[in-house]
Each structure stands twice: as C-alpha cells, then as structure tokens.
Amino acid sequence: MTRRPPACPRRGPRREEGLAALELAILAPLFIVMLLVVVAFGRVTQGRAMVNQAAAAAARAGSLAATPAQASADATREARATLASAGLACSGATVTVDTGGFRPGGQVSVQVVCSVDLSHLALAGLPGAMSLTATAASPLENYRDLGGTP
C-alpha cells in the first residue's frame, strides 16, 4: 500500500477586501500634496516668466520714448499691461524705472516686483505669497534725437 502524506489543515480564504480601501486612505493625501506642490511650482515658474516678459517689454517701451518722463510713464504702463494680459494675479506689483542713462547710447532699466498669491495651495505647506523680481535694460540708439539733447 502507498502511504499518503498527512492532510494539511485547510485554511480559509485570506480576507483582503478592506486593504485596498485602507491603502487608498493612506496614500490619497500624499498624492494630493504632491499634486499641489507640482501646481505651485508651475505657477511660480509661469509667474517668473511673465514678470521677466513684463520687465523686458517695459524696458523696450521706455527706450522708445522721447523724454525721461515719457519713458517712465510708458514703461510703467507697458509692464502693468503685460502682467494684466498674461493673467498673472499680482498683488502690489511695483515698477521701478531708471532713466539715469537716458541719452544717446545709454539705456533704460526697469525692475518689476510682483507678489504672487499661493494661499489656496496652503495644504502643501507653501507660504501665502511669493515675491518675484525681474530686471531688464534696453539700449537707446546712438544716433537718435532726444528733443535737443546733445
């Protein structure tokens, strides 16, 4: 006669129905925080690009003006218009125009400071606002007439 191995005690089916829900409950907040951090980095990157674009456009507008006063007004107007058309929600945007070198061959420098609101992403532990700064300069032509200036 052949001898049979002893029968192993049968175990019931493993109960794993609740583990998927538990894993989801643990991992979902981590995924949400990671998503918010990615969104925040995207907003900051876009904000920096728009502030750089606004500073460059303002410097160019200032360099095309005929007088330093007009250059300052044109540059400020152009920076604000560029930020507004880009849809960047800047609270307290400041535009500083330096027309000290406003002469043929000189340059107009513009600094744009914009505070971007990140308070709706506070769940990710980010600060409420971030200040973005950009500076640009645009040269004035060597042989241009600046209203009688030698």
Side-chain angles (χ1 to χ4, degrees):
M1 274 194 173
T2 60
R3 194 171 165 171
R4 287 188 177 180
C8 292
R10 294 199 133 215
R11 294 184 183 174
R14 293 186 67 184
R15 303 252 175 201
E16 294 185 8
E17 294 94 25
L19 290 181
L22 180 63
E23 290 171 359
L24 182 65
I26 291 172
L27 295 178
L30 294 175
F31 286 131
I32 291 172
V33 169
M34 286 175 39
L35 180 66
L36 289 175
V37 168
V38 168
V39 169
F41 282 135
R43 285 184 55 108
V44 170
T45 302
Q46 180 198 18
R48 283 193 176 137
M50 291 301 110
V51 170
N52 285 335
Q53 181 180 349
R60 180 70 181 143
S63 71
L64 296 175
T67 64
Q70 182 186 2
S72 182
D74 289 351
T76 302
R77 181 175 42 255
E78 185 65 30
R80 294 190 190 282
T82 301
L83 291 174
S85 69
L88 189 61
C90 284
S91 57
T94 59
V95 180
T96 306
V97 182
D98 179 15
T99 56
F102 197 85
R103 63 186 178 287
Q107 69 179 11
V108 174
S109 298
V110 177
Q111 181 182 36
V112 178
V113 179
C114 175
S115 179
V116 178
D117 183 29
L118 298 174
S119 62
H120 62 285
L121 300 172
L123 179 67
L126 297 171
M130 178 176 260
S131 181
L132 304 176
T133 303
T135 304
S138 184
L140 279 74
E141 296 174 5
N142 283 326
Y143 302 105
R144 79 183 275 181
D145 182 23
L146 295 176
T149 306

